[in-house]
Amino acid sequence: MNRDWVDKDFYQVLGVPSAATAEEIKRAYRKLAQKHHPDANPDDAKAEDRFKEITEAYATLSNEEQRQEYDQVRKMVDSGGFAGFPGGSGGYGGQRIRVEDLNDLLGGFGGGLFDRGNRRGGARRGTDLAAELTLSFEDAVKGVTTTVSVRGDAVCSRCGGSGAEPGTPVEVCPTCGGSGSIARNQGLFSFSEPCPQCRGRGRLIPNPCTQCRGRGTEVRSRNLKVKIPAGVGDGSTIRLAGKGGPGRDGGPAGDLLVTVNVQAHPVFGRRGRDLTLNVPITFAEAALGTRVELPTLDGPVTVKIPAGTQSGRTFRVRGKGVQPDRGRAGDLLAKVEVVIPKKLSRDEKKLIEELAGLDVESPRSHLGTTP
């Protein structure tokens, strides 16, 4: 669990209620991400910070398991469950308790109050980054390995992430011995806080890198290869672990969240794993029956249209839909549409008039108004 879960209201960050659906959260995120994306706001530090905040909120709320844990923590915050920390009154049987030990008590909430990777010195997990990718209909259905452009935190290209000017040393902090934290006793509690000399990093940099100013990271664009699984849908978000911003001081990298936009197909539609197709046939074909050749993603198939087929009837061709990487393939749903000609030749008109004159039951007889 992330300490920011205690400090930040991610629902407020995205401007949605706590009961918002996953789709509502996704729409809110995409709208805000487009507005505050660094590419749309060059050299705007506030927009960049806002974009990171939005991405962090979405990364948590878009993950069902993390969202449940986050909601539990926020419920405790709202009810004053953390009112005694730090320095609050009370305790557990008069014992002195370290705040870090509360991780064991809060294990059901995802591991405690502190960031993953923060337990060892000043290590911090990298930020989650977001990107959008537009795919053709065929690539989304069959899967593809492609390249996505990402702008955000990356390892400094000058110092390689050390934060020090190339050729200069990085020293262990003498105050904390490299742990990044020092202990302070306050009443019943013993609190571990960032070392004031190294600011929690556990090391000192006498000569900071002139490019990143000692941070070890810089904001820049980079191209990453992404494997898109077969069957991905429009608006889906793919999480790529470890492909986000680099961690600090030995912490793990963040994740990359890729939102996929799928282009429309000129022939096929899509409904989950099923492909949809409109099939025009003539009045004669509908009345007498016929065989029609239908396109699929794997080549044409022939389907029998029985005599008397009504307009709007759907024929299912099993296994000719979307084949995901896992699970069964969907079907092709072919919907028949009887096409009525707008203009008739003299002979065609005569034949239809003869047909109309035959003694047949009216299709409106069930209404009780037609003899």
Side-chain angles (χ1 to χ4, degrees):
M1 190 185 79
N2 194 302
R3 177 62 193 246
D4 286 346
W5 290 12
V6 177
D7 300 330
K8 297 180 181 179
D9 185 341
F10 288 156
Y11 293 104
Q12 188 177 52
V13 170
L14 295 180
V16 297
S18 59
T21 64
E23 186 60 33
E24 289 172 337
I25 290 173
K26 181 184 294 185
R27 284 200 301 266
Y29 161 72
R30 294 182 68 176
K31 182 178 179 180
L32 291 171
Q34 290 176 354
K35 179 179 178 181
H36 298 283
H37 196 283
D39 289 345
N41 302 273
D43 302 322
D44 187 339
K46 289 185 178 180
E48 183 178 318
D49 291 341
R50 175 67 171 142
F51 180 74
K52 290 180 179 179
E53 186 179 39
I54 294 165
T55 302
E56 180 188 19
Y58 180 67
T60 297
L61 299 184
S62 63
N63 184 301
E64 184 177 351
E65 182 178 347
Q66 287 191 19
R67 182 181 180 183
Q68 290 178 352
E69 295 174 358
Y70 173 77
D71 288 343
Q72 288 176 309
V73 172
R74 293 303 303 177
K75 187 176 181 180
M76 289 189 67
V77 172
D78 294 339
S79 64
F82 292 111
F85 310 118
S89 62
Y92 294 89
Q95 292 180 294
R96 174 171 291 154
I97 299 175
R98 297 193 330 127
V99 169
E100 288 85 347
D101 294 335
L102 293 176
N103 287 335
D104 297 330
L105 298 176
L106 299 175
F109 297 152
L113 289 174
F114 301 94
D115 292 352
R116 288 172 288 172
N118 280 9
R119 285 182 162 186
R120 186 173 61 82
R124 292 186 63 84
R125 181 179 182 274
T127 57
D128 290 332
L129 301 180
E132 290 203 19
L133 181 64
T134 299
L135 297 178
S136 68
F137 188 91
E138 291 84 353
D139 284 345
V141 168
K142 293 182 176 294
V144 66
T145 298
T146 185
T147 301
V148 62
S149 179
V150 182
R151 182 172 177 80
D153 287 342
V155 173
C156 176
S157 56
R158 179 172 175 80
C159 68
S162 70
E165 187 68 11
T168 64
V170 176
E171 300 176 355
V172 175
C173 175
T175 300
C176 65
S179 67
S181 63
I182 59 175
R184 290 189 184 277
N185 295 331
Q186 296 184 8
L188 294 174
F189 294 93
S190 174
F191 293 97
S192 178
E193 61 182 33
C195 173
Q197 184 172 2
C198 65
R199 297 182 180 180
R201 302 189 69 177
R203 58 198 181 104
L204 299 175
I205 303 175
N207 298 292
C209 172
T210 55
Q211 184 158 310
C212 68
R213 298 181 180 180
R215 292 178 62 244
T217 61
E218 61 181 339
V219 176
R220 58 183 168 88
S221 298
R222 52 197 170 113
N223 293 324
L224 297 176
K225 280 192 174 181
V226 179
K227 183 177 180 181
I228 305 298
V232 66
D234 182 50
S236 298
T237 299
I238 299 175
R239 180 185 293 268
L240 302 175
K243 297 297 184 180
R248 292 187 59 185
D249 304 319
D255 300 338
L256 174 62
L257 306 177
V258 181
T259 300
V260 178
N261 302 312
V262 180
Q263 296 175 332
H265 194 277
V267 175
F268 297 113
R270 185 173 170 184
R271 191 183 305 159
R273 295 184 180 183
D274 295 334
L275 295 180
T276 61
L277 178 67
N278 291 329
V279 184
I281 62 175
T282 66
F283 169 77
E285 289 173 329
L288 302 176
T290 187
R291 290 181 177 271
V292 296
E293 189 177 79
L294 304 180
T296 74
L297 296 175
D298 301 318
V301 295
T302 300
V303 174
K304 179 181 179 181
I305 306 296
T309 293
Q310 302 297 305
S311 185
R313 179 177 175 181
T314 297
F315 293 85
R316 182 182 295 270
V317 185
R318 298 194 178 278
K320 292 300 182 180
V322 177
Q323 174 61 72
D325 286 342
R326 296 180 179 179
R328 69 171 186 83
D331 303 329
L332 174 66
L333 305 179
K335 182 180 179 181
V336 168
E337 295 181 349
V338 178
V339 178
I340 306 299
K342 295 182 179 180
K343 294 184 179 181
L344 298 173
S345 67
R346 182 177 299 177
D347 291 339
E348 290 171 336
K349 185 176 181 181
K350 182 178 180 181
L351 289 172
I352 292 177
E353 287 175 342
E354 291 178 358
L355 177 62
L358 295 177
D359 187 15
V360 296
E361 182 181 1
S362 169
R364 299 184 297 279
S365 60
H366 68 286
L367 299 178
T369 58
T370 303

